[in-house]
Amino acid sequence: MNVLQALADAVVAIFNALIWCVQTLWDFVLWLGPALWWFIQWLPQRLLGRTDEKLPVGEAASRAFEYVRDGAEVFLDGFSDATEAAIEVINAALLRPPGTNWLSGRLFDPYLAWWTETTHAVLVIGLLAALAALLQRRWLPPVLVVIGFLFILDQGYWEETTESLTLVLSACLVCMGIGVPIGIYAAHHPRVYAVMRPILDLMQTLPTFVYLIPAIVFFGIGMVPGLVATVIFVLPAPIRLTHLGISSTPTALTEAADAFGATPRQKLWKVELPAALPQIMTGLNQTIMLSLSMVVIAALVGADGLGVPVVRALNTVDTARGFESGLIIVVVAIVLDRMLRVDRK
């Protein structure tokens, strides 16, 4: 019921967001004229040293955040509820078997007595090992997956690991779903990519802690601001690598496709995407690694996962807990990297 309510809230939020966007555009037009007039008057005075007033970049950013927070409150609340519901579903699927109170986990009772949370963890590890065997076609990656996750289970960090995997998986779905189409479009339109490049540079070089400020302002404390900050930080990777893969398609292949009368869609699906698959998979790998690197920072805004014990160990100077949780993050990174690595042939 909570999930359905969250979806209904998301639909209402999208409708309100469209109305708010129209209002925002009109407000921006009304603001732009006086702002330009102030800038024209301010610039000569500043260059001549007649005023100490600086360009109000920080004040403008603060007002913009407040404007978005107050005007798009319905959309932000609906988006937050829908995202939180999706995160809870993914985490519950990884953490516990079907049963009563499956989603919340409070007073959880499995439908099958033998299918406990420990048994479910072993089944999830088996599925991940099978996925590694399917992707890699070798025996070593599945063995590494089993050993790595059994070590995590032995150390008692399985719940935190599933929470971090939920954050990573959610970020990957969003980043790949947005980044791959944008990368394809940018590869076919070089001028668009030339405009996008400084924006992507800014997204990657801006300190990640800066992303947390508007995320907290818009969404409060919890998993959602951590996910939003992670997506902003990670998104440039799939865009750049997809652009690289599509742009690097051998000219002979594209000319052959044109000679046989292939449509742009056929050329994309049958020539460019297969040729760019190694770069796209590398983008997925980088997306996962960068998302995993954000788990500690996301913990600072209330996101659950492996970052929580790291932050607690830092606050209490607990060397044992800090080393354990840090080692678990390294193990998860190695396992995911070996699962999804694609060797170029």
Side-chain angles (χ1 to χ4, degrees):
M1 186 63 182
N2 292 334
V3 176
L4 295 177
Q5 183 62 40
L7 293 176
D9 292 342
V11 173
V12 175
I14 293 174
F15 178 75
N16 284 279
L18 295 176
I19 299 177
W20 177 78
C21 287
V22 176
Q23 180 64 38
T24 300
L25 183 61
W26 175 248
D27 290 342
F28 177 75
V29 172
L30 295 179
W31 169 84
L32 187 60
L36 289 176
W37 176 248
W38 176 88
F39 181 78
I40 293 174
Q41 291 181 315
W42 169 84
L43 184 59
Q45 300 293 328
R46 184 62 170 170
L47 293 177
L48 295 175
R50 296 179 179 177
T51 179
D52 293 332
E53 185 180 6
K54 64 179 183 179
L55 196 65
V57 176
E59 182 181 353
S62 177
R63 290 182 178 179
F65 290 148
E66 292 176 358
Y67 177 87
V68 174
R69 181 195 62 191
D70 297 337
E73 182 178 3
V74 177
F75 169 74
L76 295 176
D77 291 343
F79 175 82
S80 179
D81 293 341
T83 305
E84 192 73 32
I87 291 174
E88 290 179 358
V89 170
I90 296 174
N91 185 52
L94 293 174
L95 189 58
R96 61 184 70 93
T100 56
N101 299 320
W102 173 76
L103 190 60
S104 65
R106 298 185 182 91
L107 302 176
F108 171 74
D109 185 24
Y111 292 142
L112 301 176
W114 62 270
W115 197 351
T116 62
E117 294 186 44
T118 302
T119 307
H120 184 72
V122 175
L123 292 176
V124 171
I125 294 173
L127 290 176
L128 293 175
L131 178 61
L134 180 65
L135 294 175
Q136 300 298 328
R137 305 289 184 179
R138 292 183 290 121
W139 64 269
L140 186 58
V143 172
L144 182 63
V145 169
V146 172
I147 294 175
F149 282 119
L150 285 180
F151 171 73
I152 293 172
L153 193 61
D154 172 72
Q155 295 295 306
Y157 284 89
W158 178 251
E159 182 176 355
E160 291 84 356
T161 300
T162 58
E163 292 167 347
S164 292
L165 288 177
T166 300
L167 181 64
V168 171
L169 179 59
S170 303
C172 286
L173 291 175
V174 175
C175 290
M176 296 303 291
I178 297 175
V180 172
I182 292 178
I184 294 172
Y185 184 83
H188 292 156
H189 300 81
R191 293 184 178 178
V192 173
Y193 185 70
V195 175
M196 290 172 50
R197 186 180 300 170
I199 300 175
L200 298 177
D201 293 338
L202 177 65
M203 293 170 66
Q204 286 188 307
T205 56
L206 197 66
T208 52
F209 286 97
V210 178
Y211 299 140
L212 299 179
I213 299 173
I216 294 174
V217 172
F218 295 152
F219 304 107
I221 301 297
M223 291 287 283
V224 177
L227 176 62
V228 171
T230 301
V231 168
I232 296 174
F233 175 67
V234 175
L235 186 58
I239 294 177
R240 290 183 186 275
L241 287 166
T242 302
H243 171 269
L244 175 63
I246 298 295
S247 301
S248 302
T249 303
T251 307
L253 293 179
T254 57
E255 290 179 350
D258 292 334
F260 281 98
T263 63
R265 178 175 297 179
Q266 290 174 331
K267 187 166 64 173
L268 172 64
W269 285 99
K270 297 184 178 181
V271 177
E272 294 177 338
L273 285 178
L277 183 60
Q279 285 82 5
I280 294 176
M281 291 302 295
T282 302
L284 175 60
N285 184 283
Q286 290 298 306
T287 299
I288 292 174
M289 295 299 104
L290 292 172
S291 300
L292 196 57
S293 70
M294 286 288 292
V295 297
V296 177
I297 298 177
L300 297 176
V301 293
D304 298 325
L306 291 169
V308 175
V310 174
V311 174
R312 289 176 180 172
L314 179 63
N315 292 333
T316 59
V317 198
D318 190 341
T319 307
R321 176 184 288 185
F323 185 80
E324 283 180 358
S325 52
L327 182 60
I328 296 300
I329 294 175
V330 172
V331 170
V332 173
I334 293 174
V335 168
L336 294 179
D337 178 70
R338 294 302 182 269
M339 281 181 59
L340 300 171
R341 175 175 293 182
V342 175
D343 296 328
R344 297 184 182 181
K345 299 181 180 178

